[in-house]
Structure formats: structure tokens, C-alpha cells
Amino acid sequence: MRLLSKRITSHLQKIVGQKLKDVDLFCFDYEIDPPAMENLPFYFGNELVLNFEKDIAIITWDENAGWREHFSLYVGCERLYLPISSLIKWNVSKLKPWQNCIDRELTFTRIYSQNQTPHVVKLNFADTVIFVGDSSENRFGDGDDLLITNELLDNDYGKWNMIWEVKDT
């Protein structure tokens, strides 16, 4: 379990304390309704890319990564499944909720799980909190899509457990 946790927390340790510079969504063209991108919760497939001062963080879903459930959260710097050429890039830096985070420091993150599987990351930027997680049909957990919200939404599987916290040291 320790090696599995390092897969997520080691990358978070690199970005916590850095200022966010830019935010992009990567997905298939048919998945996005541009006016809906500002409304939370926002549900889409593929990747969220956070560009920090010195690093990037790709947040997406992972499959059969060693956890109990089939799908889980991925936070890292490598693309997992689809080549970038097959996806459309949408810059969302000037849209809610991201516009409040640009040039702000990521102060801490928390990872939430169910069934001992990480599904959601909480991103804390001073006065703005954003939750991103793997998702299925607009609810967090065990899915091959992403959900972005400003609160940790309940789901059908029970309570969320905070399993890791990464702070600036």
C-alpha cells in the first residue's frame, strides 16, 4: 500500500507551495459544452492539467492501478491512456472556479477514498477549494471520467475517508 500511496502523494509534494499559472482540460470534442464549463459540478472525460510555476499536474482516472476498485484517481506528470493529438485542449484559466486560483499558491491537498481506493483530491488555494476526482455519471468514485466540484459530494457508497494530506513544508 505504501508504494501505491507514493504514486499519488509524491507528485503532490512537488506542486504544493507553487503558484498555479494555467489550467487546461483535454477531452474529446463531443464531451464539452463550452457554456457548461463554468458551472459546477462539471463532468467530463480524460484529463485536467494544472500548470504550476515549475511543474505540471495531470489529474485523471487510472485503471487497475493496484487498488481495490477498478478505477481510481491519478495525479502525476504523464499522460496515461490517450495521445494528446486525439484530444481537444480547452484553456479554462479565466473561468470559474479556476480564475480565483491563478497566481495563487496551492497551500495543501487532501486525498479522499472509499473502499481503500483514492478517488478525490481536494485542492486548496487560499480562499478557493476545488475537488477533482474520478467519476461515473456525475458522482465521485470508481469511474473513467472526471468530476470537478467545490464540495465533496455524497455518493451511494458511504462516507469519504481522508487518507492523505500534503502540505507545504
Side-chain angles (χ1 to χ4, degrees), residues 118-142:
H119 289 294
V120 181
V121 61
K122 175 183 181 180
L123 305 166
N124 192 73
F125 295 92
D127 57 354
T128 302
V129 173
I130 300 170
F131 293 87
V132 183
D134 66 285
S135 175
S136 176
E137 299 180 15
N138 282 313
R139 68 174 190 245
F140 286 128
D142 205 21

Side-chain angles (χ1 to χ4, degrees), residues 54-142:
K54 300 174 190 166
D55 293 290
I56 67 165
I58 298 172
I59 303 175
T60 189
W61 53 273
D62 204 352
E63 186 174 21
N64 293 322
W67 303 104
R68 286 187 176 196
E69 295 186 342
H70 188 76
F71 295 105
S72 62
L73 178 70
Y74 171 82
V75 180
C77 61
E78 296 184 24
R79 295 195 150 70
L80 296 182
Y81 296 104
L82 295 171
I84 199 74
S85 61
S86 64
L87 303 173
I88 302 293
K89 176 181 174 180
W90 296 87
N91 186 282
V92 294
S93 301
K94 294 180 181 175
L95 302 179
K96 297 176 192 172
W98 303 107
Q99 67 186 10
N100 299 329
C101 305
I102 300 301
D103 289 322
R104 298 277 177 101
E105 184 179 299
L106 179 62
T107 55
F108 70 88
T109 63
R110 291 185 177 147
I111 302 293
Y112 294 88
S113 74
Q114 289 197 329
N115 196 21
Q116 298 179 349
T117 304
H119 289 294
V120 181
V121 61
K122 175 183 181 180
L123 305 166
N124 192 73
F125 295 92
D127 57 354
T128 302
V129 173
I130 300 170
F131 293 87
V132 183
D134 66 285
S135 175
S136 176
E137 299 180 15
N138 282 313
R139 68 174 190 245
F140 286 128
D142 205 21

Side-chain angles (χ1 to χ4, degrees), residues 152-167:
L152 187 56
L153 302 172
D154 291 335
N155 65 29
D156 300 337
Y157 307 113
K159 294 185 100 177
W160 289 105
N161 299 307
M162 188 195 63
I163 54 174
W164 307 303
E165 181 174 66
V166 177
K167 295 180 179 180

